[in-house]
Amino acid sequence: MQAAIKLAQNAEDMGEVPVGAIVVKDAILISEGFNQPINQHDPTSHAEIMALRNAAQKLQNYRLPGTTLYVTLEPCAMCAGAIIHARVERVVFGAYDPKGGAAGSVFEILGTEKLNHKVEVSGGVFETECSDLLKTFFKSRRKKL
C-alpha cells in the first residue's frame, strides 16, 4: 500500500485527485497507475484502470488471474467492472468511498455472487493515511475557490 500512496502523491502533484494503485503477482510488483483523467483527457483514466492496463500489457494478457490490486481508494463501479473482467483475484484498498464505492460502501459489485467472477476484498488498509491524502487535497481545492 505504501507504493500506491506514493503514486497517489504523484497524482496530486499533477493536480489530479490523489489515488494510486499497483498490481502485484507472486509478491512482485508488475504495474502501477495513478489518477490521470484530467491530464489524459480521459474519464476512464482512474488509478485502477491505469494499473490494470499496464499489467495486461506487461503480462500480454487481458486476464490477470492470481493478481492483487492495491489501491488507495475503494474502487468505483467502472473500476470494479474492469477488475472483474480482468479476473483480478484480490483487491486491497485504503479509504472507503461513501459516495461511490463499489466494494461495499454504496454498491457491492466486487463481492456479488451474481457475476461470473468474485473478488476477495480487504478494505481499510492504511485507511487514515489514504483518507488524509484525499481530505487534504479537497480541502485545499475548496480554499482556492
Side-chain angles (χ1 to χ4, degrees):
M1 188 61 78
Q2 294 288 0
I5 291 170
K6 287 180 183 174
L7 290 164
Q9 292 165 336
N10 289 352
E12 183 174 24
D13 292 344
M14 294 175 62
E16 301 276 3
V17 175
V19 180
I22 62 169
V23 176
V24 174
K25 183 176 174 97
D26 300 324
I28 298 168
L29 187 146
I30 59 168
S31 74
E32 54 187 35
F34 56 88
N35 266 8
Q36 299 180 59
I38 297 167
N39 287 287
Q40 294 291 322
H41 309 290
D42 179 357
T44 69
S45 292
H46 287 195
E48 300 95 322
I49 301 294
M50 302 303 285
L52 292 173
R53 285 177 183 158
N54 292 335
Q57 289 299 309
K58 183 167 186 176
L59 297 176
Q60 290 294 288
N61 191 348
Y62 74 108
R63 301 282 197 218
L64 303 172
T67 60
T68 299
L69 174 74
Y70 293 85
V71 61
T72 58
L73 179 64
E74 180 180 2
C76 70
M78 174 185 70
C79 292
I83 290 163
I84 288 168
H85 286 294
R87 304 298 193 265
V88 171
E89 182 176 322
R90 182 172 176 234
V91 170
V92 178
F93 69 86
Y96 289 86
D97 184 354
K99 293 186 178 184
S105 288
V106 178
F107 305 105
E108 182 55 79
I109 295 173
L110 293 179
T112 185
E113 299 285 342
K114 295 179 179 181
L115 298 173
N116 62 347
H117 180 69
K118 184 176 178 181
V119 180
E120 179 186 335
V121 177
S122 301
V125 177
F126 286 88
E127 181 177 6
T128 300
E129 294 89 332
C130 295
S131 181
D132 286 350
L133 270 172
L134 291 160
K135 288 176 186 175
T136 302
F137 174 80
F138 286 112
K139 186 177 180 179
S140 72
R141 296 287 287 225
R142 284 190 296 275
K143 284 183 180 179
K144 291 178 183 177
L145 299 176

